[in-house]
Amino acid sequence: MIDLTDRHCRYLHRQMSRHTLLYTEMVVAAALVRGGALRLLDHDPSEHPVAVQLGGSEPEELAAAARICAGHGYREINLNVGCPSDRVQSGCFGAVLMRDPALVGDCLAAMREAAAGAEVTVKCRIGVDDQVPQEVLPAFLETVRGAGIRRVIVHARKAWLKGLSPKENREIPPLDYPLVLSMKQAFPDLTIVINGGISSLTTARELLDQGLDGVMIGRAAYHDPGEILLPADRLMFASAAADRSPEAVVAAMRPYIARHLAIGGRLGAITRHMLGLFAGRPGARSWRRSLSEAGSRPDAGLDALDRALEEILAAA
Ligand SMILES: Cc1cc2nc3c(=O)[nH]c(=O)nc-3n(C[C@H](O)[C@H](O)[C@H](O)COP(=O)(O)O)c2cc1C
């Protein structure tokens, strides 16, 4: 998720769940290939399993970008066919590509060939604008399967390319889980992961029980990690280990934050992702306030984190 799942966020999320598959923000292929912005691929080895997501629509450029990603150690490379923002449309990629499955197929085939050793996957919508999802989605899946793709993530709502903001496009078009479920029946050989509006592991489990292969959770995982990420290993991956507590996560982040501060990084770059850590607990509000205030100070150090933690412990 752009502006959210940067490397610090992913490192934090990995402290909460060992097995959950994490995704980078969307990286524009041209920024890697033409702009040389390789730092966008920086990550800590402990983030794995982590997939990188690319945005683009030129097969050769995407192939070159996929090769670079594989060289940086990513073992899954995902193509974005779901983002509706204007910025993305003008570059002709994201959800607008739902209108051109043949081009998507060419892009995916080129990426697969270039990035041998990494799995190429795609994330799509169920359609855009006035398209009929019952017709468009199966045709899209048929095409990407023909390009050798075996795993697809479906955001189970349309995107409206004109008239809705990106935020509205994540809320207003209605969700259609039954359609995605029916795709699993129509394409049993594809691994189909559902996304959109899932805010509890109970719902995630129900969707898996109904036959889907995976569940992707975006906003709820970010804003309420205590509900989603901390119990995920136990509830979704049958791990026998006890859930980590938010306090233990803070302790696990300390050495990472210290290393970041030592090379001149700002506390807030990491702690901005930790604001939701104690959501629902007494003192959660003062934790957020205290950490946001410290995060906005360029010279804030670990003592600010410790103080915020003391406050939450005192409120318990
Ligand atoms: C701030 C923000 C940034 C996002 N950036 C991306 C992105 O870069 N790539 C992508 O595929 N989806 C992106 N999304 C969409 C989410 O991945 C997801 O499809 C959507 O939020 C619906 O799932 P959810 O209800 O679990 O959040 C973004 C969502 C948000 C809120």
Side-chain angles (χ1 to χ4, degrees), residues 1-2 4 26 53 80 123 155 170 195-197 216-219:
M1 293 188 285
I2 289 174
L4 297 183
M26 180 179 71
Q53 186 185 61
N80 183 328
K123 177 163 178 261
H155 184 175
R170 292 190 288 264
N195 166 247
M216 172 188 268
I217 303 182
R219 288 165 292 185

Side-chain angles (χ1 to χ4, degrees), residues 157 166-174 219:
R157 54 160 62 92
K167 183 168 187 293
E168 288 169 332
N169 258 314
R170 292 190 288 264
E171 286 160 7
I172 292 177
R219 288 165 292 185

Side-chain angles (χ1 to χ4, degrees), residues 48-86:
H48 285 288
V50 58
V52 61
Q53 186 185 61
L54 290 178
S57 62
E58 288 177 21
E60 277 180 23
E61 191 166 68
L62 279 165
R67 192 177 299 116
I68 295 171
C69 292
H72 276 70
Y74 289 97
R75 289 188 287 273
E76 178 185 339
I77 304 170
N78 178 266
L79 181 66
N80 183 328
V81 184
C83 179
S85 90
D86 289 346

Side-chain angles (χ1 to χ4, degrees), residues 9 14 29 36 43 51 63-64 66 83 90 112 147 178 188 193 226 262 276 283 289 305-306:
C9 172
R14 185 56 73 220
H43 63 286
C83 179
S90 60
R112 284 189 66 229
V193 178
R289 194 181 337 101
L305 179 69
D306 294 338

